[in-house]
Amino acid sequence: MAIKAPKGTKDLMPKDSYKMQYIEREFYELCRRYGFGEVRTPMFESTELFSRGVGETTDIVQKEMYTFEDLGHRSITLKPEGTSPAVRAFIESHDYAEMQPTKYYYDTPCFRYERPQAGRLREFHQFGVENFGTPDMMADAEVIALASDFIRKVGIEDVELHINSVGCRECRPVYRKALQDYLRPYYEDLSDISKERFEANPMRIIDSKDHHDQEIAADAPYMLDYLCSDCKAAFESLKANLDAMGISYTVDPRIVRGLDYYTKTAFEFVTTKIGAQGTICGGGRYDHLVEEIGGPSIPGVGFGLGKERLLLLMGHNDIIFDDPNVPDISISFIGDKARLYALGLAHNLRVNGIAVAIDTLNRNLKGQMKYANKLAARYSVVIGDDEIERGVVTLKDMKSGEQKEINASDLTKEIEK
C-alpha cells in the first residue's frame, strides 16, 4: 500500500505552489515598505519557551503541541506559533540593546495537533510581524495597518477588522473577579474545558466554542467596562490612530485571543466565507512577554496570519493568479540534428532569462506540438533541417496565431520585445 502524507498535512503541488509564492512576494514587499526585516527561527524549540510564553492554561500548550524528548533527554516542541520564537531570538541576539524599535517579520511552518478542517491543518504556514520596544499605540496601529494593507493588496474585500482591549495587570484582576462572580451560579452547566478555565483563565470562557457556554456568557460583563485609566487612554489612542489612517473597525468586546500573553490591544480580521474558521489574521500587544521569557522589560505588538486560510479565502473571492510556470516559448524539432540544435537554442534562451519548454521524451512532431499546447506557451517554434541550414526560425504567437520568420540569433530579443 502506498505511503500517504500524515493526517492534517498537505502537499503543495506546482499547480498551486505559485499561488503561495505570489502571496509571499507581496507580503515580503509590504513588510519592506513598513521597515520590517526578516527573522528565521528553528522549526523546534525548548518546550519551556511555549509553556512560559504561550501560557500553561492555553489549548495550545495543554492539548495541541507536538512535544518529544530528544536523544539528549531534552523536551523539544515543534513550534505551534511564531511570536514566542521571535521573542526568544530577540533576547538571544541582544537586539534589545540596540536603538528601538526592533521590527521583525517571519514566514514559518507551525504545528498543532487539531482536528483538520477547512482552513485548519496540523502543519500550517504563518506570516507574522513583531514590533518591539515601544508602548505607543502608533505601533499597534501600524501593525494593524500592515495586515489591512496586505489583505487588501491580495484582492480580498469582505474582511472586517475587530478590535478590543484585554486590559493589563492592574485592571484585569478586577475584571477577573467580576467575571467569576457572574459565572459562578452557572458553573455546573459549563463545559468541562470552561470549568478548567474558571480559575486559571476565566476570560477564555467568553470566546468558548461550546454553544451552551456561549449562551451562559451572553450577558457576562466585558473587559472594556473594567479598564483602568491607562488602558482606556491606550484604547482611545488606538482608535484615533486607525481613524487617522482611514482604517474602519468594529469594537468587539468578545475578542480575548487564545494566548495568555496579550495585554491591552487585541484584534482580528474575520470573514464568514471559510466556515467556522473565520479568523484569518489575529494579534495584539504583549507588554510582558519578553520579560517572562527571560529578557528585559520591553513591550511588543504583532500579528499572525495563516497562509492556507488566506489562499482558501482568495479562492472563495474568485481571485485569478497569473501562473509563472507557463513557458515563454516551446521549441519543437524534427530529426536528431534538429534536436541537438534545439537543445543548444533552448539553453541560450534560458541563460538570457527566457522560460523554455522542450521535449525530452523524443516524441514525434505531433506529440511535441500536443505537449506544447498543454503547457500553453505564449510562443512556439519548429526546427528542421531547412531552418538550421538558413539560420532562421518561424516564431508563432500561440494566442493570435500570427507567425513570422526571423533570424535564430534574434529570437531572444524578439521574445523580450
Side-chain angles (χ1 to χ4, degrees), residues 132-365:
F132 301 105
T134 173
D136 196 287
M137 288 295 113
M138 283 184 66
D140 302 52
E142 181 183 66
V143 162
I144 291 172
L146 194 162
S148 177
D149 288 354
F150 174 63
I151 291 169
R152 188 175 65 252
K153 188 175 177 63
V154 296
I156 299 174
E157 298 177 349
D158 59 342
V159 174
E160 296 180 352
L161 167 63
H162 291 196
I163 64 171
N164 189 27
S165 175
V166 293
C168 67
R169 288 177 173 177
E170 179 179 335
C171 55
R172 196 180 294 175
V174 179
Y175 171 65
R176 172 195 176 96
K177 183 179 184 305
L179 181 58
Q180 287 177 321
D181 289 344
Y182 169 84
L183 292 171
R184 191 167 283 109
Y186 306 100
Y187 179 82
E188 294 301 328
D189 297 323
L190 292 172
S191 66
D192 290 341
I193 185 64
S194 287
K195 287 178 180 177
E196 294 175 11
R197 291 169 172 167
F198 182 82
E199 291 295 340
N201 192 357
M203 285 181 67
R204 291 299 316 282
I205 299 175
I206 296 294
D207 72 342
S208 171
K209 302 300 184 290
D210 183 272
H211 180 69
H212 191 55
D213 286 347
Q214 293 172 0
E215 291 180 341
I216 292 173
D219 296 321
Y222 292 127
M223 185 72 237
L224 285 178
D225 299 321
Y226 290 82
L227 296 179
C228 63
S229 57
D230 182 50
C231 288
K232 284 182 181 177
F235 195 54
E236 292 304 313
S237 177
L238 172 65
K239 292 189 286 185
N241 290 330
L242 294 174
D243 290 340
M245 290 186 284
I247 298 174
S248 60
Y249 56 85
T250 297
V251 176
D252 184 351
R254 301 188 71 84
I255 294 177
V256 299
R257 304 295 296 147
L259 307 175
D260 286 353
Y261 52 64
Y262 285 113
T263 56
K264 296 182 179 176
T265 303
F267 66 89
E268 294 179 349
F269 286 86
V270 299
T271 177
T272 58
K273 282 210 168 185
I274 53 176
Q277 301 304 317
T279 301
I280 62 167
C281 176
R285 174 164 286 275
Y286 45 87
D287 286 342
H288 308 291
L289 181 57
V290 176
E291 188 176 3
E292 288 170 356
I293 289 179
S297 179
I298 291 180
V301 59
F303 71 72
L305 187 156
K307 293 162 66 174
E308 284 84 2
R309 292 189 188 182
L310 180 67
L311 286 174
L312 189 61
L313 184 58
M314 292 173 74
H316 285 304
N317 278 261
D318 298 321
I319 293 171
I320 305 299
F321 295 83
D322 289 330
D323 187 351
N325 298 320
V326 173
D328 298 314
I329 185 171
S330 67
I331 300 178
S332 303
F333 50 84
I334 306 171
D336 288 341
K337 183 178 179 181
R339 177 176 62 84
L340 294 175
Y341 182 87
L343 187 61
L345 182 60
H347 180 68
N348 183 62
L349 289 170
R350 288 165 175 164
V351 167
N352 285 279
I354 306 298
V356 183
I358 186 170
D359 179 70
T360 57
L361 287 177
N362 205 25
R363 297 181 177 95
N364 59 26
L365 181 60

